[in-house]
Amino acid sequence: MLRFLLNRLGQSVVLLLIVTVITFFLINLAPGGPASTMRMEASPEERQAMIEKLGLDQPIYVRYIDWITHAVQGDLGISFTSSEPVIQRISERLPYTIELTVFTIVISVIVGILLGVLSAIKRGKAQDHIINFMSVIGLSVPAFWLGLMLILLFSITLGWLPSSGVGSRGADFDLWGWISHLILPVLILTTTVLPNIVRFTRSSMLEVISQNYIRTVRAKGAKESIVLYVHALRNALIPVVTIIGVLIPRLLSGAVITEAIFGWTGIGTLIIEAARGRDYPLVMGVTVMITIVVVVCNLFVDLVYSRIDPRVKNV
């Protein structure tokens, strides 16, 4: 296990280095820059002074070496737009995105596995067709359109749920206010993850229940619930756990659109803010943070995978 963890740690460091190199060079070579966001009447001298103040007059490789030197020491730089440390800005927004991600993953996994198993054991029946139809709809409908329609229905027409914001926090925390602000964003993000888990669970269960050892268990007189949820489901979950690790980056990217629609002050809106302001340090900081989150989640998925399937040895 220790050897496996050290090996994955080395791979993660290399991956992180590659991602930072690509991101840094792409954003710095793109047209425009922080000076382009200055007021229209700013003189060329003022723009040049800003470029020199931010160190953007240095060669790009010199800037990257300077950035990576500070990054390994835990300093991701100062935001151009707010003059605050990048780590501080990320730490303020990250908890809100974690809320959406955790609720979305938990709901998608529980509901997706249950629906996938039901669809498999009811193959060819009405329940199977309905679940498959809803999965296709979930995969096909754009998140931004669905989000706007849900706001129009539940917030404007019915007035049941708030259309934006994160709810009361701190001393003014209100449980229902917090939950009501979560419902619509989590629902939208769930539509991007749940259908995939349902379809993978269904196909995996269909493959497993056709195996000879399942027929043997049934021949021994075991209850159908024991056959499905003890013998079949554990093996069927192996590819499902794998796809969850793949869906996490998709979930984070989907949070950008969802947070923008619902005014959710998380990492998604921070990414948009950084891109609009040509805030290079903030873009790099968010990129590093997302990469680390994805690497950690994939490592966790690998560990869970090894626990589900005893044949996998992480040594």
Side-chain angles (χ1 to χ4, degrees):
M1 180 64 70
L2 180 60
R3 179 181 177 183
F4 167 76
L5 292 176
L6 292 175
N7 184 41
R8 289 304 302 268
L9 179 61
Q11 294 176 4
S12 301
V13 171
V14 174
L15 174 63
L16 190 60
L17 181 63
I18 293 175
V19 169
T20 58
V21 169
I22 294 175
T23 305
F24 191 89
F25 278 79
L26 286 179
I27 63 174
N28 279 274
L29 293 176
S36 64
T37 62
M38 296 180 66
R39 63 187 188 279
M40 295 297 296
E41 62 272 16
S43 64
E45 291 76 15
E46 291 177 324
R47 296 179 186 274
Q48 183 61 32
M50 180 180 181
I51 291 175
E52 294 176 359
K53 178 181 177 181
L54 298 177
L56 300 179
D57 56 334
Q58 300 293 325
I60 187 171
Y61 66 89
V62 173
R63 281 183 277 152
Y64 177 77
I65 293 175
D66 180 67
W67 179 86
I68 196 67
T69 302
H70 288 84
V72 295
Q73 301 174 21
D75 179 13
L76 296 178
I78 302 297
S79 172
F80 289 166
T81 55
S82 65
S83 300
E84 297 175 336
V86 170
I87 292 182
Q88 178 182 334
R89 300 207 62 189
I90 292 176
S91 62
E92 291 173 351
R93 301 290 190 94
L94 184 58
Y96 297 109
T97 299
I98 290 178
E99 285 182 8
L100 294 182
T101 303
V102 170
F103 278 100
T104 301
I105 288 293
V106 171
I107 294 174
S108 299
V109 169
I110 295 175
V111 177
I113 290 176
L114 292 177
L115 292 180
V117 172
L118 177 61
S119 181
I121 62 180
K122 299 293 184 180
R123 181 181 183 182
K125 298 182 179 180
Q127 298 94 322
D128 182 31
H129 294 309
I130 293 174
I131 293 173
N132 286 333
F133 176 76
M134 296 305 297
S135 297
V136 172
I137 294 296
L139 291 172
S140 304
V141 176
F144 71 90
W145 180 86
L146 182 59
L148 294 176
M149 294 301 102
L150 291 181
I151 290 175
L152 180 62
L153 175 61
F154 291 104
S155 300
I156 298 178
T157 304
L158 299 176
W160 291 353
L161 298 172
S163 61
S164 63
V166 297
S168 301
R169 304 300 171 105
D172 299 327
F173 177 77
D174 176 58
L175 181 60
W176 169 244
W178 175 60
I179 295 176
S180 63
H181 282 83
L182 273 171
I183 291 176
L184 291 181
V186 169
L187 180 60
I188 296 301
L189 289 176
T190 300
T191 61
T192 66
V193 178
L194 178 61
N196 292 280
I197 297 179
V198 172
R199 293 165 69 88
F200 270 86
T201 303
R202 179 184 183 274
S203 61
S204 183
M205 278 293 292
L206 288 175
E207 181 180 355
V208 169
I209 60 180
S210 65
Q211 299 296 318
N212 291 331
Y213 75 92
I214 296 296
R215 298 191 185 98
T216 302
V217 173
R218 283 174 172 159
K220 290 181 177 180
K223 295 181 180 180
E224 187 65 15
S225 59
I226 299 297
V227 173
L228 292 176
Y229 295 102
V230 176
H231 297 280
L233 184 57
R234 179 171 180 173
N235 289 328
L237 285 179
I238 295 175
V240 177
V241 169
T242 305
I243 196 61
I244 291 174
V246 176
L247 290 173
I248 290 175
R250 180 176 177 179
L251 180 60
L252 292 174
S253 63
V256 176
I257 300 175
T258 303
E259 290 181 6
I261 293 174
F262 293 98
W264 192 269
T265 54
I267 293 298
T269 53
L270 188 63
I271 293 174
I272 296 175
E273 180 183 334
R276 287 177 176 174
R278 305 293 202 278
D279 196 334
Y280 296 162
L282 190 55
V283 171
M284 290 300 301
V286 173
T287 301
V288 170
M289 183 277 302
I290 292 179
T291 304
I292 291 175
V293 170
V294 172
V295 167
V296 171
C297 291
N298 285 333
L299 177 60
F300 176 75
V301 167
D302 287 342
L303 295 177
V304 174
Y305 188 98
S306 67
R307 298 294 296 176
I308 295 177
D309 190 355
R311 295 170 298 179
V312 177
K313 301 296 182 180
N314 295 324
V315 294

